[in-house]
Amino acid sequence: MKELENLVKINQLKREPPDAKEFAGMLRAGDTKLKDALIDGLSEDSQFSLSYGAAHAFSLAALRWHGYRSDSRYLVFQCLQHSLGLDKAKWRVLDKCHNVRNLAEYEGHLDVNPQLLKELISITKEIQTLVKALEPIE
C-alpha cells in the first residue's frame, strides 16, 4: 500500500505486525459500542459518542489488519479509503464527527445534528461489515 507506506515515511503511521487477539478485541469493542448506540431511548449525545467510538474501533482494526498503527484518530479515519476502500465522502463525514467529538471532549460543547448522527451510524455499520469481511489474521 503505497499511500500507507508514504505515511510511514513521514512518521504519521508506524509499521507493526497485525495481532489476531488485538484485532478481535477491537471488533468486540466496536460491536458492543454500536449495539449500545442503537438502544431505544438513548440520548442523541450518547448515541453519537458510542457510534463514534465504534467507528474508531472498526477503523483502527482495519488499519491494524494491514500492519499499521496510528496515534491519530483523524488519520485512522483518513486511511479508510486505503485500508477498506471506503469512499472519500464517507471518511469525511467521520472527520466532521471527529471535530464534533473534539468540541465535546475538549470544550464541553456537544451539539449533535440528527442527520449527522444518522450518517455516522450508517457509515459505522458499513465499516463493521467491511472489517468483518477481511481474512482472518494468521
Side-chain angles (χ1 to χ4, degrees):
M1 297 218 150
K2 180 183 168 192
E3 295 85 1
L4 298 180
E5 280 302 311
N6 286 341
L7 291 169
V8 170
K9 289 177 188 173
I10 61 171
N11 296 317
Q12 294 296 308
L13 286 181
K14 298 172 193 160
R15 270 192 226 105
E16 187 177 313
D19 179 281
K21 285 184 182 179
E22 180 187 38
F23 182 79
M26 289 175 181
L27 290 183
R28 266 191 316 278
D31 286 341
T32 300
K33 285 179 171 81
L34 183 57
K35 180 182 169 194
D36 289 352
L38 301 175
I39 294 173
D40 282 339
L42 208 57
S43 71
E44 287 183 341
D45 289 4
S46 293
Q47 286 181 309
F48 180 88
S49 295
L50 288 163
S51 299
Y52 176 88
H56 182 259
F58 293 135
S59 300
L60 184 56
L63 193 60
R64 292 294 299 121
W65 186 88
H66 286 284
Y68 298 95
R69 181 179 298 281
S70 174
D71 296 327
S72 165
R73 287 175 176 266
Y74 170 80
L75 195 59
V76 169
F77 291 142
Q78 190 176 19
C79 288
L80 283 168
Q81 65 184 10
H82 309 298
S83 62
L84 292 177
L86 195 72
D87 185 69
K88 259 186 186 180
K90 291 180 181 175
W91 75 255
R92 290 193 182 178
V93 170
L94 295 174
D95 176 48
K96 183 171 179 72
C97 292
H98 175 74
N99 292 332
V100 169
R101 177 244 180 211
N102 281 352
L103 279 172
E105 197 78 17
Y106 302 115
E107 297 180 24
H109 175 72
L110 181 59
D111 184 23
V112 176
N113 174 308
Q115 181 58 37
L116 181 62
L117 176 58
K118 184 178 176 183
E119 290 176 40
L120 171 60
I121 291 170
S122 174
I123 292 168
T124 302
K125 288 178 179 178
E126 182 178 350
I127 295 168
Q128 178 187 40
T129 299
L130 292 170
V131 171
K132 288 186 172 198
L134 295 171
E135 296 291 322
I137 295 172
E138 303 278 328

